[in-house]
Amino acid sequence: MANFIDRRLNAKNKSTVNRQRFIRRYKHQIKQSVEGAINKRGVTDISSGEDVSITKKDLSEPIFHRGKGGVRDQVHPGNDQFSPGDKIPRPQGGQGQGAGEGNASKDGEGNDDFVFSISKDEYLNILFEDLELPNLEKSQLDKLVEFKTVRSGYCAEGVPANIDIVKSLQGSIARRIAMTSSKRRKLTELQHALAKLTESPIDNTAEKQRLIKEIDELKAKIAKVPFIDSFDLRYRNYARQAVPTSKAVMFCLMDVSGSMDQATKDIAKRFYILLYLFLTKTYQSIDVVYIRHHTQAKEVDEQEFFYSQETGGTIASSALELMNQIIEQRYSDSKWNIYGAQASDGDNWADDSPYCRQLMEKQLMPKCRYFSYIEITKRAHQTLWQQYELVKKSTPHFAMAHIKSVEDIYPVFRELFSKKSAQAA
């Protein structure tokens, strides 16, 4: 059986399939590295690529090999320091580091880590895998577009993983028939002529030798036609196909009051940047409305939402009222899938929190497909959290989560936007 080995460089991304296969194979290790990296990044570089490190021991291939066989009894000697089964750690420094140029790995097992870089798209694909906007209804097929990969016939160029064996062999047969049909026809004629001369009683040795020579030459020419040629190869072609779904809008409500210190605001911004990257990566078009609030709420653009220094007291209901006004003016709930995400430290006026619950239950939740609330604080929950717990009991499409530190951002984000099928699994 012929083996095809792709030794080409990554011109025109022809080794993409091999790269995707590698990422799929070591998905667990890569995912752990990406999840760890997201907490170390700054707000501005959260969407760039990443260097992923995989320990060498995880790259070893399982193999079948001959064992010793049978039942064997062995006695392993020990001494006053070691017992059978003890592992001796690799000595630090000196000749114990091995003959190579690299250093021993930090786990002390003497295996160098395998490090490779993943691109921005690969990083985001892993980051937002199995996430979706919950309860998205595909009723308005005119704006929001998703993509899916579909088969798109065959092409003459591609990667070995996409070779279509049947189509390639059909091409090989057609080419060999076209190149040898005249020679085979002449070969048949010469073989018939040779058979007649052989049956004839007349001495025609010279003529028979000439025919035999021509027959041998024709057979040699036919045999030289290769069984398969690069011209015969056909590759399965894939294309991204747009799938229109529905219109959707995401409201981002952020508390910027004086109780939100810089570290808390940084966590809130990281959460919203993750949310923005997820929306723009997963969906081609979606409206995002930014609302900042302290005692007063204000609709702002992306730049002001993330970088404005304005601050003040806290009245959370002002943001909910403004969100409700914008929905009534611009985003009819009969035509739009409406989503909301609110981030706060929970510090709100005591008499305002029950009003927030009323706004949620009577005004916003009947119009929203999904609303998530994250409370960013290391303190005990306050009245806003307690009131929202009542909302959660009465409306299943309301979710709330607690973030204490930067390490909690990504797990909470995945928890809020995980696919229902993935949750069931």
Side-chain angles (χ1 to χ4, degrees):
M1 178 180 178
N3 294 318
F4 296 93
I5 300 175
D6 184 12
R7 298 187 186 281
R8 296 169 295 185
L9 299 176
N10 192 23
K12 299 180 181 179
N13 293 324
K14 289 181 178 178
S15 66
T16 300
V17 172
N18 293 332
R19 184 178 180 83
Q20 290 174 346
R21 185 185 297 117
F22 177 83
I23 292 176
R24 191 166 56 247
R25 189 171 186 180
Y26 298 101
K27 189 175 180 180
H28 179 69
Q29 293 91 333
I30 295 172
K31 204 167 185 177
Q32 283 185 332
S33 296
V34 169
E35 290 179 7
I38 189 67
N39 297 326
K40 302 174 185 174
R41 294 186 165 210
V43 174
T44 55
D45 63 345
I46 202 168
S47 64
S48 58
E50 176 63 29
D51 286 338
V52 174
S53 175
I54 300 176
T55 55
K56 196 173 181 179
K57 65 177 183 180
D58 291 336
L59 298 175
S60 59
E61 297 281 346
I63 59 171
F64 289 102
H65 59 88
R66 291 180 181 275
K68 294 180 179 178
V71 178
R72 294 170 177 268
D73 294 326
Q74 289 183 313
V75 177
H76 297 278
N79 55 24
D80 59 343
Q81 296 180 358
F82 299 99
S83 299
D86 286 349
K87 293 182 178 179
I88 302 175
R90 177 183 290 273
Q92 299 296 322
Q95 296 181 350
Q97 293 294 325
E101 296 180 353
N103 297 320
S105 64
K106 59 183 179 181
D107 56 9
E109 296 184 1
N111 291 318
D112 292 335
D113 291 344
F114 174 73
V115 180
F116 73 104
S117 297
I118 57 176
S119 65
K120 174 183 174 183
D121 286 340
E122 292 168 339
Y123 176 78
L124 295 179
N125 285 337
I126 295 170
L127 202 62
F128 301 128
E129 188 180 33
D130 297 329
L131 299 182
E132 67 174 5
L133 286 175
N135 309 321
L136 185 68
E137 282 197 359
K138 301 176 181 179
S139 54
Q140 301 294 324
L141 308 178
D142 62 352
K143 191 167 185 180
L144 189 61
V145 176
E146 290 179 333
F147 288 98
K148 66 176 183 180
T149 303
V150 297
R151 285 285 303 276
S152 179
Y154 301 92
C155 57
E157 293 185 351
V159 296
N162 288 341
I163 288 179
D164 189 281
I165 302 297
V166 174
K167 276 288 179 185
S168 299
L169 290 179
Q170 287 176 345
S172 169
I173 293 171
R175 177 183 52 79
R176 282 183 284 134
I177 289 174
M179 294 180 69
T180 62
S181 59
S182 60
K183 296 182 180 65
R184 290 182 185 277
R185 193 180 307 115
K186 188 173 182 180
L187 177 63
T188 304
E189 293 174 356
L190 293 176
Q191 288 174 335
H192 285 309
L194 179 61
K196 287 182 180 178
L197 290 178
T198 304
E199 294 172 356
S200 174
I202 303 173
D203 182 15
N204 47 20
T205 304
E207 183 63 14
K208 287 198 301 187
Q209 289 178 347
R210 185 186 65 80
L211 289 176
I212 291 172
K213 183 179 179 182
E214 286 191 27
I215 288 172
D216 291 340
E217 290 175 352
L218 279 175
K219 286 182 177 178
K221 288 180 180 177
I222 292 172
K224 285 183 180 179
V225 177
F227 177 77
I228 192 165
D229 189 85
S230 58
F231 177 80
D232 306 324
L233 297 180
R234 289 294 178 271
Y235 300 85
R236 293 185 293 273
N237 192 31
Y238 296 91
R240 291 184 74 199
Q241 186 179 75
V243 181
T245 57
S246 57
K247 297 192 292 187
V249 57
M250 172 66 76
F251 286 86
C252 298
L253 284 62
M254 183 164 67
D255 182 1
V256 292
S257 61
S259 61
M260 294 274 288
D261 57 23
Q262 193 55 43
T264 308
K265 287 179 182 175
D266 184 68
I267 291 176
K269 289 176 184 178
R270 283 171 176 263
F271 178 85
Y272 282 119
I273 288 175
L274 266 181
L275 179 61
Y276 176 77
L277 290 174
F278 160 63
L279 295 175
T280 54
K281 177 68 180 176
T282 311
Y283 304 98
Q284 187 186 48
S285 176
I286 185 170
D287 282 11
V288 181
V289 178
Y290 298 103
I291 296 177
R292 289 167 58 97
H293 81 88
H294 36 81
T295 54
Q296 295 179 345
K298 180 182 178 184
E299 182 183 0
V300 296
D301 57 16
E302 181 180 330
Q303 179 71 20
E304 189 174 355
F305 183 78
F306 287 107
Y307 300 108
S308 176
Q309 300 296 322
E310 185 182 0
T311 184
T314 308
I315 298 181
S317 61
S318 61
L320 303 181
E321 287 178 340
L322 180 58
M323 176 180 171
N324 191 44
Q325 291 173 12
I326 295 173
I327 290 173
E328 291 181 349
Q329 293 170 1
R330 289 150 43 190
Y331 299 102
S332 169
D333 58 315
S334 61
K335 296 180 179 179
W336 288 80
N337 289 283
I338 300 172
Y339 294 88
Q342 182 181 8
S344 171
D345 62 348
D347 186 7
N348 191 27
W349 283 14
D351 56 348
D352 186 60
S353 296
Y355 180 52
C356 291
R357 178 171 66 87
Q358 291 180 13
L359 283 174
M360 277 288 182
E361 291 178 337
K362 296 180 179 178
Q363 300 292 333
L364 294 178
M365 294 315 298
K367 300 172 184 174
C368 289
R369 300 287 179 203
Y370 184 73
F371 193 101
S372 61
Y373 169 71
I374 58 167
E375 187 166 293
I376 310 167
T377 181
K378 294 182 180 179
R379 300 171 298 177
H381 298 305
Q382 300 189 27
T383 55
L384 188 59
W385 177 276
Q386 294 162 2
Q387 294 295 326
Y388 276 174
E389 281 187 323
L390 300 176
V391 178
K392 185 180 179 182
K393 289 180 181 177
S394 59
T395 51
H397 54 294
F398 180 87
M400 52 195 300
H402 183 203
I403 293 179
K404 292 183 179 179
S405 62
V406 175
E407 289 75 17
D408 297 335
I409 298 174
Y410 186 61
V412 165
F413 184 81
R414 290 199 66 87
E415 177 190 341
L416 293 175
F417 294 99
S418 292
K419 287 183 179 177
K420 289 184 177 179
S421 56
Q423 290 175 344

